[in-house]
Amino acid sequence: MIWLLATLVVFYGARYLTKFIKHPIVNPLLICLLVLIPLLMWLNVPYETYFEQNKWINALLEPAVVALAFPLYEQLGQIRQKWKVILTTCFIGSILSMVTGAGIALMMGADAQLTASILPKSVTTPIAMAVSEQIGGVPSVAAIMVILAGLFGAVFGYPLFKLIGVHAPIAKGLTMGTVSHALGTAKAAEENHQEGAFSSLALVICGVMTSILAPLVFPLIMKLFS
């Protein structure tokens, strides 16, 4: 179980580092990727071997997602009051995430398969992989794009909020959940309890909306950019 131990040591070492270096780029997940991936490649360790030893960490993802329901329960009053704003924000955010990602890919010369893999980048990995496969993409590529989108949101989201003067917890939470799924939600929860709750809500709503809208949006984007 050497790779399980290595993962835990690197992650908690990165978390400890964040106590002393307050910079967005010092993100525990990003540090883990930068340390573990080169190490695995250098030692020629297959991904299957690494995953097998870390399956217990992977198994914790499901109860972690379920645990997000508790902060949502605490915000039920505000959710009832602002449900129109929440649904509108998630709907517009889902559409824009799909259109911008796929549109930029097509303008840079991507083919239909790669575009279909990029389109669902802003929802959580299982949904993105299923949506990508449904519209003709490659699920493994979709998973990579989801990680990249989440990392960019987790690293640059809050500096961008500060730069443009966004201070409302609900606005921050909905934005992070809409464009950066679980990684953005984890960052939002670290910053503020309320932001984490609304981010987790947006994560779920946008996942449902994207799974429904992607098969309709993708052909329209392809026709528009053809």
Side-chain angles (χ1 to χ4, degrees), residues 8-215:
L8 294 174
V9 168
V10 174
F11 178 77
Y12 282 105
R15 286 291 300 270
Y16 183 75
L17 191 63
T18 60
K19 296 180 180 179
F20 301 97
I21 304 177
K22 302 295 183 181
H23 193 278
I25 205 69
V26 184
N27 181 281
L29 178 59
L30 180 59
I31 293 174
C32 284
L33 293 175
L34 293 176
V35 172
L36 291 172
I37 291 178
L39 185 60
L40 291 167
M41 294 176 65
W42 180 50
L43 296 175
N44 292 318
V45 177
Y47 171 75
E48 291 76 14
T49 300
Y50 176 80
F51 183 82
E52 177 63 25
Q53 294 191 19
N54 283 273
K55 61 183 180 181
W56 302 112
I57 295 178
N58 186 68
L60 292 173
L61 286 173
E62 294 178 5
V65 172
V66 174
L68 293 173
F70 180 71
L72 279 179
Y73 174 77
E74 294 184 318
Q75 302 296 326
L76 277 180
Q78 291 222 52
I79 292 172
R80 290 193 184 99
Q81 293 176 7
K82 303 180 184 298
W83 66 271
K84 292 181 181 179
V85 173
I86 293 170
L87 290 179
T88 302
T89 300
C90 291
F91 177 77
I92 295 174
S94 296
I95 294 292
L96 288 178
S97 293
M98 289 186 283
V99 171
T100 53
I104 292 172
L106 288 169
M107 286 189 291
M108 295 183 69
D111 60 15
Q113 187 179 55
L114 180 57
T115 303
S117 304
I118 293 172
L119 183 138
K121 61 179 174 49
S122 293
V123 296
T124 191
T125 305
I127 295 177
M129 293 176 70
V131 168
S132 174
E133 186 175 22
Q134 183 182 9
I135 60 177
V138 181
S140 57
V141 175
I144 294 172
M145 300 310 300
V146 168
I147 293 173
L148 291 176
L151 276 175
F152 270 95
V155 172
F156 299 110
Y158 277 87
L160 186 59
F161 289 147
K162 185 176 181 180
L163 180 66
I164 63 179
V166 176
H167 303 292
I170 295 177
K172 291 181 181 179
L174 290 176
T175 301
M176 293 297 283
T178 298
V179 301
S180 299
H181 51 84
L183 295 182
T185 299
K187 179 63 177 177
E190 289 180 3
E191 296 289 331
N192 181 281
H193 188 69
Q194 188 179 28
E195 291 169 21
F198 279 94
S199 183
S200 63
L201 177 62
L203 181 157
V204 174
I205 295 174
C206 290
V208 174
M209 287 184 172
T210 299
S211 64
I212 295 172
L213 295 173

